[in-house]
Amino acid sequence: MPTDFQQLAERLPEWVEASRAYALKGRVASYIPGLAHAPQQALGITLCHLSGASVTAGDCGMRFTLQSISKVFTLLLALMDRGEQAVFEKVGMEPTGDDFNSMLKLELVEPGKPFNPLINAGAIVISSLIEGRTPEEKADRIVRFVRELAGGDTSIGINADVYRSEASTANRNRSLAYFLKDNNVLDEEVEPTLDVYFRQCSIETTCSQVARMALVLANGGIDPATGRELVPRRYVRIAKSFMVTCGMYNASGEFAIQVGIPAKSGVSGGILALVPGELGIGLIGPALNEKGNSIAGVHLLQQLSERYDWSIF
Amino acid sequence: MPTDFQQLAERLPEWVEASRAYALKGRVASYIPGLAHAPQQALGITLCHLSGASVTAGDCGMRFTLQSISKVFTLLLALMDRGEQAVFEKVGMEPTGDDFNSMLKLELVEPGKPFNPLINAGAIVISSLIEGRTPEEKADRIVRFVRELAGGDTSIGINADVYRSEASTANRNRSLAYFLKDNNVLDEEVEPTLDVYFRQCSIETTCSQVARMALVLANGGIDPATGRELVPRRYVRIAKSFMVTCGMYNASGEFAIQVGIPAKSGVSGGILALVPGELGIGLIGPALNEKGNSIAGVHLLQQLSERYDWSIF
Amino acid sequence: MPTDFQQLAERLPEWVEASRAYALKGRVASYIPGLAHAPQQALGITLCHLSGASVTAGDCGMRFTLQSISKVFTLLLALMDRGEQAVFEKVGMEPTGDDFNSMLKLELVEPGKPFNPLINAGAIVISSLIEGRTPEEKADRIVRFVRELAGGDTSIGINADVYRSEASTANRNRSLAYFLKDNNVLDEEVEPTLDVYFRQCSIETTCSQVARMALVLANGGIDPATGRELVPRRYVRIAKSFMVTCGMYNASGEFAIQVGIPAKSGVSGGILALVPGELGIGLIGPALNEKGNSIAGVHLLQQLSERYDWSIF
Amino acid sequence: MPTDFQQLAERLPEWVEASRAYALKGRVASYIPGLAHAPQQALGITLCHLSGASVTAGDCGMRFTLQSISKVFTLLLALMDRGEQAVFEKVGMEPTGDDFNSMLKLELVEPGKPFNPLINAGAIVISSLIEGRTPEEKADRIVRFVRELAGGDTSIGINADVYRSEASTANRNRSLAYFLKDNNVLDEEVEPTLDVYFRQCSIETTCSQVARMALVLANGGIDPATGRELVPRRYVRIAKSFMVTCGMYNASGEFAIQVGIPAKSGVSGGILALVPGELGIGLIGPALNEKGNSIAGVHLLQQLSERYDWSIF
């Protein structure tokens, strides 16, 4: 049963306001100023339909950085740059059950490679696989790829303040990267690799831009506006699989049950989600639940999924 | 694109023979005689279509015990007996990244409840939630539920030899159960609970029976022959979500990418799988890969999924 | 410089009262009634000198169960029954850094045998090595050994209430024992082995009895009253080494630095300690610090060790 | 019973040759060229007696770097520079049971500070506590302290090749240091701190120099030649306690039982050991056992300890 987009569009503001109340129970990430200043009660969403229609509600003008959402795009780009075999020699395909920045399995489970590309250790390795001679060149390729997915929106760029803050507060990520280096999983140098990683996390967008990117994935990698294949379908499938099994940190299993659509969250409170063959979704809600996902955002997606029967399960 | 069942049926024997070669690289489970005597090179599969058609190939006469496949059925029965809230007070919804019989997260992650119902610790708790005054009564209800899903096939029962062997070699499961008891996660007594667990693992079936059970799940809980709802759709959805995120042990993520359908494997080499809205699949291939899944069986499912585009992703 | 025992004897009541104040900051173990009813502020100590002199102060009439202190005696008895090689095939010699009832290293570190005989897992294995056809016979041999070390004091016996309580609240120990059984480290049956373990934990003594036992160890295994060798010197040395490296749970390293004498504590608040070649010490102070050792007792021993320069380091 | 030094001196060459045979079963560390080129079968030892006598046997001309042996000296210097309280705010006093370079407890055990100063994480923190404005100045103070302990031997210095190799192969240590930085345990910058650490590891000595340093510790911190207190007795006691509980990596417990004297080993195959009140010992034997200690060296020390009854237990 396809989503009644007309009805959804009409009722969306009401859904948003109902979910916004949950933001009070969450906490805005505070480890860098660029995140800490986000308004606790903000909640905004854009849904783009394959037909070209789109709808937006709540605080949609708000700009936010992709943070971990970027891991989906670097995974896709690394697959396109290097191919499946090269990528999966360096990262695994399994959920971990541990924190996103945990080092436990790197030490405990042979051969010490990251379990998947959506935890920090895996994403750092993925960043090292992006083609480019310098961190700037690699980051530039990522930005251009993201812009392309967003329909060629050149207003998307790196937030320099956030980037600098990320780089200066990243000792846990440095620790992860040197561990990977020691395990011979990371072939590139640590600091240039982390530089790419911090830049990708700092790409600044809006809900509607993220929704537009998600729409391409919902369409199997083909830009619905131009009909051009931006990502091979096989790689979109891989990304969607990871989004379902590991996209929402250690609440991915619960999200699969309660919402049931591929999604990836970031510490900024952003969520990229999609209803395959139908909708791309971009969402921002800075207040996070204890698992690190937008508390009001998850509630909103759950309400919509139940109402419009979006679950792929 | 719906599966071309006619073509699949014609070519199935050929697919089976091509995959059977992989069995030589695997190892048959040997911890109890009832499993150790299974033929290394056996491979059999049955697919049941919603239309009522079915096809079978390979060693389909072979009888095997459900083992961990039973965890899907006890989860469903516990949900029907107790409701979602009571079940998820006792087990979580997340993949673990650890071995199926690991105790690490029970000790390390508060509040010490099993991460999901498909690892041993979780399945033991689930067994304790099945209604019934005695282990025999609980096991009897499980058997009757399984028979019902198999279209009322009363030939399905418990293999007494396997049950006795399970019970006498189950010290790791006893250790898990006493740990759960100590954590106040298991309310029932340990030995009666384990007795239920060993019985459910020892339910003996064939490929075609498992395929028939899977067909009900592929049909959202409704028996396609009678139109009767055997399981509420919501619970089927929950079960399918778990099968995707945790159904194939620590290879669930890879299976999601390479095959992309809900499935649950057992140490006997059995696999229950399903293509939503289309097919129920039962498979046996006793030789296991290093992750504990039927090595030839996984290969066969991957070939079929690629050929007929089954992936839900 | 030998301890000025005369001066120590005169000033001991004063030392005891000064340390007793610390008991208010501790917590009495509460998992069984037999422990929970112990008076929070109690503190008693006896010191026995090799010369035959002894001194007692504080609440020395108080009876308490040996609990983990018994692990020293079963280690000695197992060494005498089986010899070093047989014992150390089953348990290691290393401190763990984990909780006394942890299962982490059993799962994570090959070959899955307990790191040392003073953690629960190790002590359970040791109990299984005591000679005797039945748990009663084994426990009886332990009691007789303990009485012998206490100078033939036949008033020492098992507190039946505590024994019953231990047996009925021991699910974590059952979990450990079945894990060891599964790892093929425990050759005996689980329940009879645990029965011995619960009995040894429930041996009831007083400070002066414990001090008298410790005196034999301080004298290298020879009863100073009779000149008879009750334990071979080599085994006393092994026991003292373990007491220094693992005797005070996860505060053993700190105790080595701050007190510097071989000691073993129990959850009852008892401590057995010794100054080699000089003194046997028995102490009771039920209020425990966060590491599980008698809070006032550790303070008292530290004061005495500093004043009389007892540290072996 | 004091050691019969005259007899020991006469028979030492024979003891050395008997132990040398064990070197064939060990492996020379190979992660940097400066270690990898050490001769597998080398074994040398010097014992310095408090009387001023000394004896040497085997390959005593061989120069080797202190590696982890230096951790004892930086601990002492940090205690002298900062005092006990400041040091133990940053590192604990407990053995870990984990590998010397493990990160497990930093992640799993609150508050994430290193368990003791002799594992890498702890030693890195200790290096950061040495007074000095620059890494060079800090390292220079360490070298001068070590020379002073060696009787003012100015031939002791840093091996520049080893230092450079250490610095370029130290990704695991970098990972540890950034983790400590992230945990707010390390106050100084990572790279300057590691620079000190690599320099201290690269201090080059001989057996007789190490034996002379150990002699000062055996004498409670007082240089036996000059009568001058080089280290306060209390700090020597702390160092000796750590050497017994954690000095020989994860074989410290076994070494305490089988040899029973304070000792610290290094990956170069060096061992510093001492018999309190009697002897300082320096030993080199590059072939290591599986726990990382000189295989022939440990055998030799065990033989000598048994023969001359050195155990403090």
Side-chain angles (χ1 to χ4, degrees), chain B residues 178-213:
Chain B
Y178 279 110
F179 202 106
L180 294 166
K181 188 77 182 162
D182 189 60
N183 281 1
N184 294 314
V185 177
L186 186 62
D187 295 331
E188 302 286 311
E189 291 303 308
V190 166
E191 285 296 338
T193 300
L194 289 173
D195 193 34
V196 177
Y197 181 72
F198 301 143
R199 286 171 194 263
Q200 77 187 54
C201 289
S202 307
I203 295 173
E204 197 172 58
T205 56
T206 62
C207 286
S208 52
Q209 289 164 341
V210 171
R212 186 62 178 70
M213 301 171 205

Side-chain angles (χ1 to χ4, degrees), chain A residues 94 96 234 237 253-254 258, chain B residues 94 96 234 253-254 258 309:
Chain A
E94 302 305 322
T96 70
R234 165 77 183 168
R237 173 167 285 173
E254 183 175 357
Q258 307 295 15
Chain B
E94 302 305 322
T96 70
R234 165 77 183 167
E254 183 175 358
Q258 307 296 15
D309 199 26

Side-chain angles (χ1 to χ4, degrees), chain B:
Chain B
M1 179 187 67
T3 304
D4 180 344
F5 195 74
Q6 180 65 29
Q7 191 213 49
L8 187 159
E10 281 164 21
R11 298 192 43 196
L12 194 60
E14 180 183 328
W15 292 108
V16 168
E17 292 319 309
S19 291
R20 191 194 296 276
Y22 288 79
L24 287 173
K25 300 180 188 167
R27 281 192 55 210
V28 175
S30 59
Y31 71 96
I32 60 171
L35 296 178
H37 297 150
Q40 164 121 15
Q41 293 195 57
L43 181 63
I45 188 170
T46 299
L47 299 101
C48 293
H49 196 270
L50 271 192
S51 67
S54 78
V55 59
T56 220
D59 306 295
C60 275
M62 189 180 157
R63 299 186 71 76
F64 58 95
T65 48
L66 286 178
Q67 300 294 338
S68 290
I69 297 172
S70 69
K71 293 170 182 173
V72 174
F73 302 122
T74 49
L75 169 63
L76 291 170
L77 195 52
L79 285 166
M80 290 159 71
D81 280 355
R82 307 278 179 148
E84 261 181 85
Q85 196 184 336
V87 166
F88 293 116
E89 266 168 21
K90 295 295 186 183
V91 296
M93 297 179 172
E94 302 305 322
T96 70
D98 301 321
D99 287 344
F100 65 93
N101 61 3
S102 176
M103 314 190 72
L104 296 180
K105 287 194 167 49
L106 295 180
E107 181 167 339
L108 292 174
V109 184
E110 287 299 324
K113 74 180 193 185
F115 260 41
N116 69 64
L118 299 189
I119 51 173
N120 284 19
I124 290 168
V125 172
I126 292 294
S127 299
S128 79
L129 298 175
I130 302 297
E131 296 280 7
R133 281 163 307 173
T134 63
E136 291 79 7
E137 196 175 312
K138 292 179 186 209
D140 193 51
R141 291 191 64 238
I142 298 168
V143 169
R144 277 188 284 130
F145 178 57
V146 168
R147 286 176 176 175
E148 197 177 23
L149 291 169
D153 189 330
T154 55
S155 76
I156 297 172
I158 289 166
N159 180 317
D161 284 347
V162 170
Y163 160 62
R164 275 189 299 268
S165 297
E166 297 283 354
S168 65
T169 59
N171 290 319
R172 183 65 172 261
N173 285 325
R174 278 195 181 82
S175 182
L176 277 166
Y178 279 110
F179 202 106
L180 294 166
K181 188 77 182 162
D182 189 60
N183 281 1
N184 294 314
V185 177
L186 186 62
D187 295 331
E188 302 286 311
E189 291 303 308
V190 166
E191 285 296 338
T193 300
L194 289 173
D195 193 34
V196 177
Y197 181 72
F198 301 143
R199 286 171 194 263
Q200 77 187 54
C201 289
S202 307
I203 295 173
E204 197 172 58
T205 56
T206 62
C207 286
S208 52
Q209 289 164 341
V210 171
R212 186 62 178 70
M213 301 171 205
L215 187 66
V216 177
L217 304 184
N219 199 33
I222 294 168
D223 187 327
T226 64
R228 207 156 59 88
E229 185 189 87
L230 302 184
V231 187
R233 188 178 167 210
R234 165 77 183 167
Y235 298 156
V236 174
R237 173 167 286 172
I238 290 172
K240 287 193 293 181
S241 300
F242 279 123
M243 289 165 82
V244 166
T245 57
C246 340
M248 301 297 278
Y249 305 116
N250 272 349
S252 299
E254 183 175 358
F255 191 86
I257 288 173
Q258 307 296 15
V259 187
I261 58 176
K264 181 75 202 84
S265 60
V267 73
S268 53
I271 300 177
L272 173 153
L274 60 103
V275 183
E278 284 204 63
L279 296 168
I281 303 172
L283 182 151
I284 179 66
L288 308 177
N289 61 25
E290 56 189 7
K291 297 294 188 85
N293 299 310
S294 171
I295 189 165
V298 169
H299 183 266
L300 176 56
L301 291 175
Q302 183 172 348
Q303 300 301 310
L304 291 170
S305 177
E306 283 177 12
R307 177 65 188 79
Y308 297 104
D309 199 26
W310 285 346
S311 173
I312 65 171
F313 296 109

